[in-house]
Amino acid sequence: MSTVVADGVPAKIPPVASPVDEDPVKIASNISYHAHYSPHFSPFKFEPEQAFYATAESVRDRLIQQWNETYFHYHKLDPKQTYYLSMEYLQGRALTNAIGNLNVQGGYADALNKLGHELEEVVEQEKDAALGNGGLGRLASCFLDSMATLNLPAWGYGLRYRYGLFKQRIGKDGQEESAEDWLEKFSPWEIVRHDIVFPIRFFGQVEVQPNGARKWVGGEVLQALAYDVPIPGYKTKNTNSLRLWEAKAVSEDINLFEFNDGQYETAAILHSRAQQICAVLYPGDATENGKLLRLKQQFFLCSASLQDIILRFKERKVGKGTRSWSEFPDKVAVQLNDTHPTLAIPELMRLLMDDEELGWDEAWEVTTKTIAYTNHTVLPEALEKWSQAVMWKLLPRHMEIIQEIDKRFIEMVKSTSPDLEHKLSSLCILDNNPQKPVVRMANLCVVSSHSVNGVAQLHSDILKAELFVDYVSIWPTKFQNKTNGITPRRWLKFCSPELSQIITKWLKTDEWVTNLDLLVNLRKFADNEELQAEWKSAKLANKKRLAQYILRVTGVDIDPNSLFDIQVKRIHEYKRQLLNILGVIYKYKKLKEMSDEERKNTTPRTVMIGGKAFATYTNAKRIVKLVNDVGAVVNTDPQVNNYLKVVFVPNYNVSVAEMLIPGSELSQHISTAGMEASGTSNMKFALNGCLIIGTLDGANVEIREEIGEQNFFLFGATADQVPKLRTEREKGLFKADPRFEEAKKFIRSGAFGSYDYNPLLDSLEGDTGYGRGDYFLVGHDFPGYMEAQTKVDEAYKDSKRWTKMSILSTAGSGKFSSDRTISQYAKEIWNIKDCPVP
């Protein structure tokens, strides 16, 4: 290795462009080329940050070649293509994933060594793209990976958020929010497409043309500019796109007269409004301005994406004769990821009728055959309802179209299903309640889509039996289940290489990476002492790596020989982080009361909780504060801190998950039954040999079936019991377990500081004046939870038994590959086929 440095790069590595060479020396030359000729820093340094950007641009060279080949291949063959519309994508770091999917990890590791760097150190310089928050966005990213790996013609569409949701810090008052800085410098993965720009209109009015046609005119018009991010498949040439839209105003919109007159803000008002649209994910919508901005974001995504899709549909007909609009659903599938992109429905109708001059019936047939809808929640607050007044103000033409859809739906029900006429007030799209008239977005999706799917069998059953039960009687074949999945590339092969190598060794193949069903063959070795020893060694290595990370970011020193118990997900009352920390508090109190000898017989445990609480969600933020306050007391208590530690992991994101999940041994998925649509973190933990303590909720039901009941720590009420239990609670018929009361009393005593936790604890009482005491049944499920935790402690003491359960957890995870999920979408909803680049 050269120690002489010229322009910051070792002098013996010439800067030569070698975009697709796999020889480490040539790769190093290409990295050096980017350090010299794609410079973003002064030329005198080649430190890890500079090395990251040059390395990423070197990898991007390979991706661009495959990307272009993929695009031309799709353009030439003109297959039916899926377009996935999502308000979030939780991509995580791209470098490890890209070189892993391209199968060039070794070459890049060697190349960076020649340049004086370690790959692991360089990878750490990348910031997570702040394009998402929770499971919805991570699912979308797993799906994109699978679409490319399966060679499916499919793209994602999203928004290019400048500041994401927020960066979470923990201060003395709990969670603090600040803007994400992922674009503080730039992202080396995205390519701006200056030739792909579409006009997006807001406000204005509807004019009737001389021929009777209706046109939306006036208002303000912004531009949607495309940024493309490459999505490579695993060991395949196919590289699909995630197209992100940025909002811009045209330069003519700067009023130079006003600017020169000193009216700077007024002169550039459209530029300011454009920047607001892609500033943050999920801006607060408590005010009318907040609601307008949220709707602007949603419409901006839908309109830009559909204009782009229509343009591509037209471009690909070149040389194929005249193409009628009836062919559109044969070439285009649009999947709505939850209700956020619902406005794609009236926007596609508007584009077809007002711009392409189709009649209503033809436009409606095209739209309904094109659009499909995935429901992700049964939570009422997440089933979006938008004020009709706000919608009329922002999108007057779309409200006309929604009115007509609703009117025709009501007429159809009256003529074909008269027995449902008395239910029309809840089935129709427009709720015309004079106090608060709203548009029900989920109803619009169900009425207008050819397919509606849930994301776990239990969730889909609830949709059909409860939430959408009357629609099912109208369209019995419209509703489907597509159990979610995760990509085994990011969530096992790349994030836990030691465990992956052991799996490959014992299965004698690495084909499990694209055929996860092969993991079932681990079952026959589950009792093998050699495999168990290797398995334990790999898990311990991951735990030690995690312990180093926790020490670095929190200052808490944790013991890798303790049981690592982890709950990481969005902080929400239904996900019941509060149940977890109440259990910890009770355990801490009992440890304090034990003798030294008794404590020595307990199972040492490190409890880690992480996730973001939405900035305006007061009780969720109180839970974050409580976890941190408990940790501050427990971790400094010399009596018990060898037996119990409590850590809040700040700023949970994909990169943090890639550290936590391989190092976990027990994971908590303890939501109130019937409230979690699916969950995908439970799948990631199970795949990595982590055991689950949980309720029969979401995908937990199917995970337990696949890995075996004996390998799952079950507790809690079932979904069918929940309504009755809530009613009993409201009537005062619930009698709390003494341990539950003891834990709450301990908090109220001030044991964890002077912060006022009474409002949080009052939400767990039966009659609080809040109207729904303990709606999430924390008190009811507490005793069962504590008993399940006792079983965990006993099982962990038997190392051989625990390791066998861990192996069987991984062995039973084959069903939960996103490859399987996407294959089902492709065959059963989208009707698309693979289109491999030769």
Side-chain angles (χ1 to χ4, degrees), residues 338 375-385 459 462-463 467 570 572-575 617 672 674-677 726 772 775-776:
D338 217 358
N375 173 280
H376 283 279
T377 185
V378 296
L379 287 176
E381 65 264 31
L383 291 167
E384 292 182 296
K385 295 175 183 177
H459 171 233
I462 290 171
L463 292 185
L467 193 65
R570 180 166 52 96
H572 195 292
E573 286 172 284
Y574 91 82
K575 293 178 185 284
Y617 190 172
T672 313
M675 302 207 74
E676 185 77 85
R726 282 182 178 145
R772 55 169 205 179
Y775 183 77
F776 302 103

PDB file of all heavy atoms in Angstrom, residues 338 375-385 459 462-463 467 570 572-575 617 672 674-677 726 772 775-776:
ATOM      1  N   ASP A 338     -51.436   2.266   0.993  1.00  0.00           N
ATOM      2  CA  ASP A 338     -52.287   2.907   1.985  1.00  0.00           C
ATOM      3  C   ASP A 338     -53.096   4.040   1.336  1.00  0.00           C
ATOM      4  O   ASP A 338     -53.089   4.190   0.116  1.00  0.00           O
ATOM      5  CB  ASP A 338     -51.483   3.401   3.189  1.00  0.00           C
ATOM      6  CG  ASP A 338     -52.258   3.224   4.506  1.00  0.00           C
ATOM      7  OD1 ASP A 338     -53.403   2.757   4.478  1.00  0.00           O
ATOM      8  OD2 ASP A 338     -51.704   3.543   5.570  1.00  0.00           O
ATOM      9  N   ASN A 375     -54.535  -1.811   2.090  1.00  0.00           N
ATOM     10  CA  ASN A 375     -54.899  -1.216   3.379  1.00  0.00           C
ATOM     11  C   ASN A 375     -53.883  -1.671   4.435  1.00  0.00           C
ATOM     12  O   ASN A 375     -53.534  -2.845   4.500  1.00  0.00           O
ATOM     13  CB  ASN A 375     -56.307  -1.646   3.793  1.00  0.00           C
ATOM     14  CG  ASN A 375     -56.653  -1.189   5.193  1.00  0.00           C
ATOM     15  OD1 ASN A 375     -56.254  -1.792   6.178  1.00  0.00           O
ATOM     16  ND2 ASN A 375     -57.406  -0.107   5.290  1.00  0.00           N
ATOM     17  N   HIS A 376     -53.421  -0.733   5.253  1.00  0.00           N
ATOM     18  CA  HIS A 376     -52.408  -1.050   6.258  1.00  0.00           C
ATOM     19  C   HIS A 376     -52.884  -0.854   7.684  1.00  0.00           C
ATOM     20  O   HIS A 376     -52.082  -0.995   8.612  1.00  0.00           O
ATOM     21  CB  HIS A 376     -51.162  -0.178   6.052  1.00  0.00           C
ATOM     22  CG  HIS A 376     -50.298  -0.616   4.915  1.00  0.00           C
ATOM     23  ND1 HIS A 376     -49.383  -1.641   5.015  1.00  0.00           N
ATOM     24  CD2 HIS A 376     -50.208  -0.168   3.642  1.00  0.00           C
ATOM     25  CE1 HIS A 376     -48.767  -1.796   3.859  1.00  0.00           C
ATOM     26  NE2 HIS A 376     -49.251  -0.918   3.010  1.00  0.00           N
ATOM     27  N   THR A 377     -54.139  -0.508   7.886  1.00  0.00           N
ATOM     28  CA  THR A 377     -54.535  -0.202   9.261  1.00  0.00           C
ATOM     29  C   THR A 377     -56.031  -0.317   9.449  1.00  0.00           C
ATOM     30  O   THR A 377     -56.809  -0.124   8.513  1.00  0.00           O
ATOM     31  CB  THR A 377     -54.085   1.220   9.650  1.00  0.00           C
ATOM     32  OG1 THR A 377     -54.374   1.451  11.021  1.00  0.00           O
ATOM     33  CG2 THR A 377     -54.794   2.278   8.818  1.00  0.00           C
ATOM     34  N   VAL A 378     -56.417  -0.633  10.683  1.00  0.00           N
ATOM     35  CA  VAL A 378     -57.823  -0.524  11.069  1.00  0.00           C
ATOM     36  C   VAL A 378     -57.996   0.613  12.073  1.00  0.00           C
ATOM     37  O   VAL A 378     -59.106   0.852  12.547  1.00  0.00           O
ATOM     38  CB  VAL A 378     -58.350  -1.847  11.683  1.00  0.00           C
ATOM     39  CG1 VAL A 378     -58.322  -2.949  10.651  1.00  0.00           C
ATOM     40  CG2 VAL A 378     -57.545  -2.245  12.924  1.00  0.00           C
ATOM     41  N   LEU A 379     -56.929   1.326  12.396  1.00  0.00           N
ATOM     42  CA  LEU A 379     -57.022   2.454  13.327  1.00  0.00           C
ATOM     43  C   LEU A 379     -57.835   3.580  12.692  1.00  0.00           C
ATOM     44  O   LEU A 379     -57.500   4.044  11.605  1.00  0.00           O
ATOM     45  CB  LEU A 379     -55.633   2.986  13.679  1.00  0.00           C
ATOM     46  CG  LEU A 379     -54.770   2.138  14.618  1.00  0.00           C
ATOM     47  CD1 LEU A 379     -53.401   2.768  14.758  1.00  0.00           C
ATOM     48  CD2 LEU A 379     -55.429   1.988  15.978  1.00  0.00           C
ATOM     49  N   PRO A 380     -58.887   4.051  13.346  1.00  0.00           N
ATOM     50  CA  PRO A 380     -59.745   5.083  12.746  1.00  0.00           C
ATOM     51  C   PRO A 380     -58.969   6.341  12.350  1.00  0.00           C
ATOM     52  O   PRO A 380     -59.218   6.921  11.299  1.00  0.00           O
ATOM     53  CB  PRO A 380     -60.769   5.386  13.858  1.00  0.00           C
ATOM     54  CG  PRO A 380     -60.762   4.181  14.727  1.00  0.00           C
ATOM     55  CD  PRO A 380     -59.376   3.620  14.668  1.00  0.00           C
ATOM     56  N   GLU A 381     -58.006   6.761  13.192  1.00  0.00           N
ATOM     57  CA  GLU A 381     -57.297   8.010  12.890  1.00  0.00           C
ATOM     58  C   GLU A 381     -56.390   7.875  11.672  1.00  0.00           C
ATOM     59  O   GLU A 381     -55.975   8.884  11.089  1.00  0.00           O
ATOM     60  CB  GLU A 381     -56.472   8.491  14.108  1.00  0.00           C
ATOM     61  CG  GLU A 381     -55.330   7.573  14.528  1.00  0.00           C
ATOM     62  CD  GLU A 381     -55.708   6.614  15.657  1.00  0.00           C
ATOM     63  OE1 GLU A 381     -56.897   6.208  15.732  1.00  0.00           O
ATOM     64  OE2 GLU A 381     -54.828   6.267  16.441  1.00  0.00           O
ATOM     65  N   ALA A 382     -56.046   6.640  11.286  1.00  0.00           N
ATOM     66  CA  ALA A 382     -55.167   6.443  10.137  1.00  0.00           C
ATOM     67  C   ALA A 382     -55.950   6.218   8.841  1.00  0.00           C
ATOM     68  O   ALA A 382     -55.369   6.224   7.764  1.00  0.00           O
ATOM     69  CB  ALA A 382     -54.238   5.260  10.396  1.00  0.00           C
ATOM     70  N   LEU A 383     -57.268   6.014   8.950  1.00  0.00           N
ATOM     71  CA  LEU A 383     -58.112   5.930   7.756  1.00  0.00           C
ATOM     72  C   LEU A 383     -58.496   7.362   7.395  1.00  0.00           C
ATOM     73  O   LEU A 383     -59.450   7.914   7.935  1.00  0.00           O
ATOM     74  CB  LEU A 383     -59.348   5.067   8.030  1.00  0.00           C
ATOM     75  CG  LEU A 383     -59.055   3.580   8.225  1.00  0.00           C
ATOM     76  CD1 LEU A 383     -60.272   2.882   8.804  1.00  0.00           C
ATOM     77  CD2 LEU A 383     -58.651   2.929   6.908  1.00  0.00           C
ATOM     78  N   GLU A 384     -57.743   7.943   6.489  1.00  0.00           N
ATOM     79  CA  GLU A 384     -57.808   9.383   6.274  1.00  0.00           C
ATOM     80  C   GLU A 384     -59.202   9.881   5.888  1.00  0.00           C
ATOM     81  O   GLU A 384     -59.879   9.283   5.061  1.00  0.00           O
ATOM     82  CB  GLU A 384     -56.823   9.787   5.171  1.00  0.00           C
ATOM     83  CG  GLU A 384     -55.369   9.617   5.574  1.00  0.00           C
ATOM     84  CD  GLU A 384     -54.456  10.072   4.457  1.00  0.00           C
ATOM     85  OE1 GLU A 384     -54.494   9.441   3.386  1.00  0.00           O
ATOM     86  OE2 GLU A 384     -53.723  11.038   4.660  1.00  0.00           O
ATOM     87  N   LYS A 385     -59.543  10.999   6.494  1.00  0.00           N
ATOM     88  CA  LYS A 385     -60.769  11.726   6.140  1.00  0.00           C
ATOM     89  C   LYS A 385     -60.367  13.187   5.998  1.00  0.00           C
ATOM     90  O   LYS A 385     -59.825  13.778   6.936  1.00  0.00           O
ATOM     91  CB  LYS A 385     -61.832  11.573   7.228  1.00  0.00           C
ATOM     92  CG  LYS A 385     -62.329  10.138   7.400  1.00  0.00           C
ATOM     93  CD  LYS A 385     -63.295  10.024   8.563  1.00  0.00           C
ATOM     94  CE  LYS A 385     -63.726   8.564   8.763  1.00  0.00           C
ATOM     95  NZ  LYS A 385     -64.603   8.408   9.939  1.00  0.00           N
ATOM     96  N   HIS A 459     -55.354  -9.613   9.672  1.00  0.00           N
ATOM     97  CA  HIS A 459     -55.750  -8.263   9.264  1.00  0.00           C
ATOM     98  C   HIS A 459     -56.766  -8.323   8.121  1.00  0.00           C
ATOM     99  O   HIS A 459     -57.802  -7.643   8.150  1.00  0.00           O
ATOM    100  CB  HIS A 459     -54.495  -7.479   8.843  1.00  0.00           C
ATOM    101  CG  HIS A 459     -54.778  -6.159   8.210  1.00  0.00           C
ATOM    102  ND1 HIS A 459     -54.258  -5.805   6.984  1.00  0.00           N
ATOM    103  CD2 HIS A 459     -55.527  -5.106   8.611  1.00  0.00           C
ATOM    104  CE1 HIS A 459     -54.672  -4.589   6.669  1.00  0.00           C
ATOM    105  NE2 HIS A 459     -55.435  -4.142   7.633  1.00  0.00           N
ATOM    106  N   ILE A 462     -60.121  -9.357   9.340  1.00  0.00           N
ATOM    107  CA  ILE A 462     -60.812  -8.266  10.042  1.00  0.00           C
ATOM    108  C   ILE A 462     -61.390  -7.268   9.033  1.00  0.00           C
ATOM    109  O   ILE A 462     -62.515  -6.781   9.194  1.00  0.00           O
ATOM    110  CB  ILE A 462     -59.853  -7.569  11.037  1.00  0.00           C
ATOM    111  CG1 ILE A 462     -59.546  -8.511  12.211  1.00  0.00           C
ATOM    112  CG2 ILE A 462     -60.436  -6.256  11.544  1.00  0.00           C
ATOM    113  CD1 ILE A 462     -58.446  -8.024  13.142  1.00  0.00           C
ATOM    114  N   LEU A 463     -60.620  -6.974   7.976  1.00  0.00           N
ATOM    115  CA  LEU A 463     -61.132  -6.066   6.936  1.00  0.00           C
ATOM    116  C   LEU A 463     -62.430  -6.603   6.347  1.00  0.00           C
ATOM    117  O   LEU A 463     -63.403  -5.858   6.162  1.00  0.00           O
ATOM    118  CB  LEU A 463     -60.098  -5.893   5.821  1.00  0.00           C
ATOM    119  CG  LEU A 463     -58.800  -5.141   6.140  1.00  0.00           C
ATOM    120  CD1 LEU A 463     -57.972  -4.975   4.870  1.00  0.00           C
ATOM    121  CD2 LEU A 463     -59.085  -3.782   6.761  1.00  0.00           C
ATOM    122  N   LEU A 467     -64.359  -4.023   8.988  1.00  0.00           N
ATOM    123  CA  LEU A 467     -64.183  -2.686   8.419  1.00  0.00           C
ATOM    124  C   LEU A 467     -64.888  -2.523   7.071  1.00  0.00           C
ATOM    125  O   LEU A 467     -65.565  -1.528   6.835  1.00  0.00           O
ATOM    126  CB  LEU A 467     -62.677  -2.389   8.280  1.00  0.00           C
ATOM    127  CG  LEU A 467     -62.306  -0.940   7.990  1.00  0.00           C
ATOM    128  CD1 LEU A 467     -62.683  -0.032   9.163  1.00  0.00           C
ATOM    129  CD2 LEU A 467     -60.813  -0.819   7.707  1.00  0.00           C
ATOM    130  N   ARG A 570     -42.210   2.339  15.917  1.00  0.00           N
ATOM    131  CA  ARG A 570     -42.824   3.637  16.206  1.00  0.00           C
ATOM    132  C   ARG A 570     -43.459   3.598  17.592  1.00  0.00           C
ATOM    133  O   ARG A 570     -44.089   2.608  17.977  1.00  0.00           O
ATOM    134  CB  ARG A 570     -43.874   3.923  15.126  1.00  0.00           C
ATOM    135  CG  ARG A 570     -44.630   5.204  15.243  1.00  0.00           C
ATOM    136  CD  ARG A 570     -45.357   5.485  13.920  1.00  0.00           C
ATOM    137  NE  ARG A 570     -46.156   4.358  13.474  1.00  0.00           N
ATOM    138  CZ  ARG A 570     -47.459   4.230  13.710  1.00  0.00           C
ATOM    139  NH1 ARG A 570     -48.103   5.154  14.396  1.00  0.00           N
ATOM    140  NH2 ARG A 570     -48.139   3.203  13.243  1.00  0.00           N
ATOM    141  N   HIS A 572     -46.202   4.175  19.985  1.00  0.00           N
ATOM    142  CA  HIS A 572     -47.652   4.386  19.905  1.00  0.00           C
ATOM    143  C   HIS A 572     -48.289   3.587  21.032  1.00  0.00           C
ATOM    144  O   HIS A 572     -47.806   2.506  21.386  1.00  0.00           O
ATOM    145  CB  HIS A 572     -48.187   3.914  18.550  1.00  0.00           C
ATOM    146  CG  HIS A 572     -49.569   4.417  18.236  1.00  0.00           C
ATOM    147  ND1 HIS A 572     -50.684   3.994  18.931  1.00  0.00           N
ATOM    148  CD2 HIS A 572     -50.023   5.300  17.310  1.00  0.00           C
ATOM    149  CE1 HIS A 572     -51.763   4.595  18.438  1.00  0.00           C
ATOM    150  NE2 HIS A 572     -51.394   5.389  17.459  1.00  0.00           N
ATOM    151  N   GLU A 573     -49.383   4.108  21.561  1.00  0.00           N
ATOM    152  CA  GLU A 573     -50.029   3.407  22.681  1.00  0.00           C
ATOM    153  C   GLU A 573     -50.477   1.999  22.293  1.00  0.00           C
ATOM    154  O   GLU A 573     -50.440   1.086  23.112  1.00  0.00           O
ATOM    155  CB  GLU A 573     -51.210   4.235  23.191  1.00  0.00           C
ATOM    156  CG  GLU A 573     -50.757   5.457  23.997  1.00  0.00           C
ATOM    157  CD  GLU A 573     -51.904   6.388  24.337  1.00  0.00           C
ATOM    158  OE1 GLU A 573     -52.352   7.125  23.430  1.00  0.00           O
ATOM    159  OE2 GLU A 573     -52.353   6.377  25.494  1.00  0.00           O
ATOM    160  N   TYR A 574     -50.903   1.792  21.040  1.00  0.00           N
ATOM    161  CA  TYR A 574     -51.372   0.450  20.672  1.00  0.00           C
ATOM    162  C   TYR A 574     -50.223  -0.547  20.548  1.00  0.00           C
ATOM    163  O   TYR A 574     -50.419  -1.760  20.685  1.00  0.00           O
ATOM    164  CB  TYR A 574     -52.241   0.483  19.409  1.00  0.00           C
ATOM    165  CG  TYR A 574     -51.524   0.290  18.089  1.00  0.00           C
ATOM    166  CD1 TYR A 574     -51.202  -0.984  17.622  1.00  0.00           C
ATOM    167  CD2 TYR A 574     -51.193   1.386  17.285  1.00  0.00           C
ATOM    168  CE1 TYR A 574     -50.571  -1.153  16.401  1.00  0.00           C
ATOM    169  CE2 TYR A 574     -50.569   1.214  16.078  1.00  0.00           C
ATOM    170  CZ  TYR A 574     -50.251  -0.059  15.634  1.00  0.00           C
ATOM    171  OH  TYR A 574     -49.617  -0.220  14.430  1.00  0.00           O
ATOM    172  N   LYS A 575     -49.007  -0.050  20.310  1.00  0.00           N
ATOM    173  CA  LYS A 575     -47.844  -0.953  20.233  1.00  0.00           C
ATOM    174  C   LYS A 575     -47.329  -1.323  21.631  1.00  0.00           C
ATOM    175  O   LYS A 575     -46.503  -2.209  21.783  1.00  0.00           O
ATOM    176  CB  LYS A 575     -46.730  -0.319  19.395  1.00  0.00           C
ATOM    177  CG  LYS A 575     -47.123  -0.174  17.908  1.00  0.00           C
ATOM    178  CD  LYS A 575     -46.032   0.493  17.088  1.00  0.00           C
ATOM    179  CE  LYS A 575     -46.466   0.743  15.648  1.00  0.00           C
ATOM    180  NZ  LYS A 575     -46.472  -0.465  14.816  1.00  0.00           N
ATOM    181  N   TYR A 617     -47.763  13.893  19.564  1.00  0.00           N
ATOM    182  CA  TYR A 617     -48.415  12.777  20.256  1.00  0.00           C
ATOM    183  C   TYR A 617     -47.912  12.754  21.709  1.00  0.00           C
ATOM    184  O   TYR A 617     -46.906  12.134  22.031  1.00  0.00           O
ATOM    185  CB  TYR A 617     -48.095  11.480  19.517  1.00  0.00           C
ATOM    186  CG  TYR A 617     -48.859  10.246  19.942  1.00  0.00           C
ATOM    187  CD1 TYR A 617     -48.738   9.071  19.210  1.00  0.00           C
ATOM    188  CD2 TYR A 617     -49.693  10.229  21.053  1.00  0.00           C
ATOM    189  CE1 TYR A 617     -49.425   7.922  19.568  1.00  0.00           C
ATOM    190  CE2 TYR A 617     -50.384   9.099  21.425  1.00  0.00           C
ATOM    191  CZ  TYR A 617     -50.238   7.935  20.690  1.00  0.00           C
ATOM    192  OH  TYR A 617     -50.910   6.804  21.050  1.00  0.00           O
ATOM    193  N   THR A 672     -51.934  -4.560  21.129  1.00  0.00           N
ATOM    194  CA  THR A 672     -53.276  -5.052  21.445  1.00  0.00           C
ATOM    195  C   THR A 672     -53.793  -5.836  20.239  1.00  0.00           C
ATOM    196  O   THR A 672     -53.758  -5.342  19.111  1.00  0.00           O
ATOM    197  CB  THR A 672     -54.218  -3.865  21.722  1.00  0.00           C
ATOM    198  OG1 THR A 672     -53.580  -2.961  22.619  1.00  0.00           O
ATOM    199  CG2 THR A 672     -55.527  -4.358  22.312  1.00  0.00           C
ATOM    200  N   GLY A 674     -55.536  -7.360  17.176  1.00  0.00           N
ATOM    201  CA  GLY A 674     -56.462  -6.793  16.203  1.00  0.00           C
ATOM    202  C   GLY A 674     -56.105  -5.388  15.760  1.00  0.00           C
ATOM    203  O   GLY A 674     -56.798  -4.812  14.933  1.00  0.00           O
ATOM    204  N   MET A 675     -55.002  -4.830  16.269  1.00  0.00           N
ATOM    205  CA  MET A 675     -54.679  -3.433  15.960  1.00  0.00           C
ATOM    206  C   MET A 675     -53.455  -3.284  15.070  1.00  0.00           C
ATOM    207  O   MET A 675     -53.309  -2.282  14.383  1.00  0.00           O
ATOM    208  CB  MET A 675     -54.470  -2.645  17.256  1.00  0.00           C
ATOM    209  CG  MET A 675     -55.687  -2.701  18.163  1.00  0.00           C
ATOM    210  SD  MET A 675     -55.833  -1.284  19.248  1.00  0.00           S
ATOM    211  CE  MET A 675     -56.356  -0.020  18.117  1.00  0.00           C
ATOM    212  N   GLU A 676     -52.536  -4.240  15.064  1.00  0.00           N
ATOM    213  CA  GLU A 676     -51.366  -4.188  14.180  1.00  0.00           C
ATOM    214  C   GLU A 676     -51.734  -4.913  12.903  1.00  0.00           C
ATOM    215  O   GLU A 676     -52.050  -6.102  12.940  1.00  0.00           O
ATOM    216  CB  GLU A 676     -50.166  -4.863  14.845  1.00  0.00           C
ATOM    217  CG  GLU A 676     -48.868  -4.770  14.059  1.00  0.00           C
ATOM    218  CD  GLU A 676     -48.230  -3.389  14.171  1.00  0.00           C
ATOM    219  OE1 GLU A 676     -47.505  -3.141  15.132  1.00  0.00           O
ATOM    220  OE2 GLU A 676     -48.496  -2.563  13.257  1.00  0.00           O
ATOM    221  N   ALA A 677     -51.696  -4.206  11.772  1.00  0.00           N
ATOM    222  CA  ALA A 677     -52.085  -4.846  10.511  1.00  0.00           C
ATOM    223  C   ALA A 677     -51.206  -6.061  10.246  1.00  0.00           C
ATOM    224  O   ALA A 677     -51.696  -7.152   9.972  1.00  0.00           O
ATOM    225  CB  ALA A 677     -51.979  -3.845   9.368  1.00  0.00           C
ATOM    226  N   ARG A 726     -63.212  -4.376  26.334  1.00  0.00           N
ATOM    227  CA  ARG A 726     -63.290  -2.911  26.396  1.00  0.00           C
ATOM    228  C   ARG A 726     -64.620  -2.471  27.007  1.00  0.00           C
ATOM    229  O   ARG A 726     -64.678  -1.540  27.823  1.00  0.00           O
ATOM    230  CB  ARG A 726     -63.127  -2.311  24.998  1.00  0.00           C
ATOM    231  CG  ARG A 726     -61.676  -2.280  24.538  1.00  0.00           C
ATOM    232  CD  ARG A 726     -61.544  -1.646  23.173  1.00  0.00           C
ATOM    233  NE  ARG A 726     -60.143  -1.591  22.764  1.00  0.00           N
ATOM    234  CZ  ARG A 726     -59.709  -1.733  21.523  1.00  0.00           C
ATOM    235  NH1 ARG A 726     -60.583  -1.937  20.544  1.00  0.00           N
ATOM    236  NH2 ARG A 726     -58.435  -1.664  21.239  1.00  0.00           N
ATOM    237  N   ARG A 772     -62.255   6.635  27.593  1.00  0.00           N
ATOM    238  CA  ARG A 772     -61.936   5.272  27.142  1.00  0.00           C
ATOM    239  C   ARG A 772     -60.760   4.747  27.955  1.00  0.00           C
ATOM    240  O   ARG A 772     -59.683   4.502  27.434  1.00  0.00           O
ATOM    241  CB  ARG A 772     -61.638   5.213  25.648  1.00  0.00           C
ATOM    242  CG  ARG A 772     -60.534   6.165  25.183  1.00  0.00           C
ATOM    243  CD  ARG A 772     -60.138   5.848  23.766  1.00  0.00           C
ATOM    244  NE  ARG A 772     -58.773   6.297  23.503  1.00  0.00           N
ATOM    245  CZ  ARG A 772     -58.162   6.147  22.368  1.00  0.00           C
ATOM    246  NH1 ARG A 772     -58.764   5.584  21.353  1.00  0.00           N
ATOM    247  NH2 ARG A 772     -56.922   6.550  22.190  1.00  0.00           N
ATOM    248  N   TYR A 775     -57.921   1.800  26.861  1.00  0.00           N
ATOM    249  CA  TYR A 775     -58.474   1.317  25.592  1.00  0.00           C
ATOM    250  C   TYR A 775     -57.608   0.210  25.001  1.00  0.00           C
ATOM    251  O   TYR A 775     -58.109  -0.677  24.310  1.00  0.00           O
ATOM    252  CB  TYR A 775     -58.565   2.502  24.624  1.00  0.00           C
ATOM    253  CG  TYR A 775     -59.188   2.182  23.288  1.00  0.00           C
ATOM    254  CD1 TYR A 775     -60.565   2.046  23.151  1.00  0.00           C
ATOM    255  CD2 TYR A 775     -58.393   2.029  22.152  1.00  0.00           C
ATOM    256  CE1 TYR A 775     -61.145   1.766  21.924  1.00  0.00           C
ATOM    257  CE2 TYR A 775     -58.956   1.746  20.922  1.00  0.00           C
ATOM    258  CZ  TYR A 775     -60.330   1.611  20.811  1.00  0.00           C
ATOM    259  OH  TYR A 775     -60.886   1.330  19.590  1.00  0.00           O
ATOM    260  N   PHE A 776     -56.306   0.251  25.281  1.00  0.00           N
ATOM    261  CA  PHE A 776     -55.388  -0.730  24.675  1.00  0.00           C
ATOM    262  C   PHE A 776     -55.134  -1.939  25.580  1.00  0.00           C
ATOM    263  O   PHE A 776     -54.245  -2.744  25.311  1.00  0.00           O
ATOM    264  CB  PHE A 776     -54.078  -0.029  24.281  1.00  0.00           C
ATOM    265  CG  PHE A 776     -54.312   1.106  23.313  1.00  0.00           C
ATOM    266  CD1 PHE A 776     -54.283   2.427  23.736  1.00  0.00           C
ATOM    267  CD2 PHE A 776     -54.632   0.847  21.988  1.00  0.00           C
ATOM    268  CE1 PHE A 776     -54.537   3.475  22.864  1.00  0.00           C
ATOM    269  CE2 PHE A 776     -54.891   1.890  21.106  1.00  0.00           C
ATOM    270  CZ  PHE A 776     -54.846   3.199  21.537  1.00  0.00           C
TER     271      PHE A 776
END
